[in-house]
Amino acid sequence: MKKVTKAAALVLTMAMMVSTLVACGDSADATTDAANTETTASDDAAAETAGTEAEASDTTAMTKTEGVITFGTNAEFPPFEFVASSGVIDQYDGIDMAIAKQIAEENGMTAAVENMEFDSLLIALQNGQIDAAIAGMTVTEERLESVDFSTPYYTATQVMIVKEDSDIASAADMADKKICVVQGYTGEICVKDMGYPYEAFKKGTEAVMELVNGKCDVVVIDSATAQKYISDNEGLKIVEDSAAFESEEYAIAVKKGNTALLDMINKAIEAKLADGTISELGVKYTEETTIE
Ligand code: GLN
């Protein structure tokens, strides 16, 4: 395994250790114990609605196209998913894309990607357009109402990106500042919960450009993605406030009740957490990715 550098270690806190369900001050009590992954909230929810699908052991029932897992993503979220000249699945590259490809191939299937807006992913799952959503997606109570989530594979937190000379040192300092978020991300939920006005952009890059151009004072976004943006843009820094922003967990979402697919994904995720594969992917994509 590759040596974990300081920078990578900073952004790489693996989901195996701690588990809180939701971001911001709105923490839910449904914690996941890594030693007891058989009883995650998503498994319980899936079990309730499993019905006949629970008995399906062939691969035809669990995906829309036999032998193919169609993953939905929003390829605007480096280092988890982004468009590259040549990616691991078509033009799509990143930690999530590599995980998706491995899950499919290790189960004798192929991985296909449908790139769409982040906001559309849960609907696409519900109407069967995609089989699974892998998009650095945080498990939240609200999302658990419409989809089932896999075992979490990554722990993140919201952070603030500001100009290097900014006087913002905590979340409370955002009170009289112009705040930018990305529409539908947990960062938007956090800022809304705090009661601050904000402007929401469709893409992280657009929000960061607004900051770079001096049109806003702070961007609230996920930690690893923030790290990419500050290394790709001069004059920016990250401000953390762990009291204001709780940790959140990324997991893969499937249609409610698709236990056959969920079980397959969970087995793969748990093996990849245990043998260090996901950690290695985190290091690789944090250190080597140049966003095009
Ligand atoms: N983790 C954040 C969320 O789930 C952002 C995810 C993303 O943009 N892909 O809302």
Side-chain angles (χ1 to χ4, degrees):
M1 185 178 153
K2 239 163 123 185
K3 198 166 153 263
V4 179
T5 65
K6 222 172 148 192
L10 190 74
V11 296
L12 254 186
T13 318
M14 300 316 302
M16 289 185 81
M17 308 308 289
V18 198
S19 299
T20 330
L21 201 56
V22 192
C24 325
D26 184 24
S27 118
D29 55 8
T31 49
T32 307
D33 181 349
N36 188 18
T37 45
E38 295 308 307
T39 55
T40 60
S42 50
D43 284 344
D44 290 343
E48 280 167 27
T49 51
T52 52
E53 277 126 317
E55 285 138 40
S57 58
D58 63 320
T59 57
T60 50
M62 63 182 180
T63 60
K64 67 170 189 171
T65 309
E66 189 177 348
V68 179
I69 306 177
T70 304
F71 288 93
T73 198
N74 171 241
E76 301 281 349
F77 196 62
F80 293 91
E81 41 269 327
F82 50 91
V83 174
S85 45
S86 91
V88 286
I89 306 173
D90 306 326
Q91 71 270 43
Y92 303 111
D93 210 353
I95 299 168
D96 284 346
M97 298 298 98
I99 292 173
K101 187 184 168 86
Q102 289 181 20
I103 291 173
E105 290 182 355
E106 285 166 11
N107 286 282
M109 301 173 81
T110 53
V113 168
E114 286 207 19
N115 188 22
M116 61 186 72
E117 291 195 355
F118 187 79
D119 272 352
S120 307
L121 288 167
L122 297 192
I123 313 261
L125 265 183
Q126 286 170 311
N127 68 24
Q129 188 189 340
I130 56 173
D131 301 311
I134 183 162
M137 187 180 280
T138 302
V139 182
T140 68
E141 293 268 318
E142 201 188 342
R143 291 172 184 165
L144 272 169
E145 282 169 19
S146 52
V147 294
D148 289 340
F149 278 102
S150 70
T151 300
Y153 60 90
Y154 194 91
T155 301
T157 185
Q158 297 300 306
V159 298
M160 295 166 282
I161 312 179
V162 296
K163 285 255 176 88
E164 250 159 18
D165 60 359
S166 170
D167 57 2
I168 294 176
S170 70
D173 293 337
M174 295 196 294
D176 55 351
K177 304 286 188 194
K178 181 152 182 245
I179 306 170
C180 287
V181 297
V182 188
Q183 193 178 312
Y185 284 21
T186 38
E188 179 180 17
I189 301 167
C190 288
V191 173
K192 196 186 273 176
D193 284 353
M194 288 170 184
Y196 299 140
Y198 60 84
E199 188 172 351
F201 290 83
K202 284 261 181 219
K203 299 178 179 184
T205 43
E206 290 169 4
V208 171
M209 274 311 116
E210 200 81 350
L211 175 65
V212 168
N213 296 332
K215 292 188 196 147
C216 85
D217 303 307
V218 52
V219 175
V220 177
I221 198 161
D222 299 51
S223 39
T225 305
Q227 198 70 46
K228 287 306 298 177
Y229 286 134
I230 67 150
S231 51
D232 292 348
N233 293 280
E234 298 260 305
L236 302 180
K237 66 175 180 184
I238 288 176
V239 177
E240 296 179 36
D241 185 339
S242 54
F245 303 111
E246 289 177 5
S247 68
E248 44 190 278
E249 295 189 317
Y250 296 171
I252 300 173
V254 301
K255 188 176 189 171
K256 252 194 188 303
N258 191 352
T259 42
L261 183 58
L262 190 65
D263 286 350
M264 196 177 93
I265 290 173
N266 279 344
K267 280 200 189 85
I269 294 276
E270 284 155 28
K272 285 175 203 315
L273 284 170
D275 71 6
T277 305
I278 295 181
S279 178
E280 281 178 48
L281 286 170
V283 173
K284 171 176 155 49
Y285 281 103
T286 306
E287 290 183 341
E288 294 172 10
T289 310
T290 307
I291 309 308
E292 293 167 27

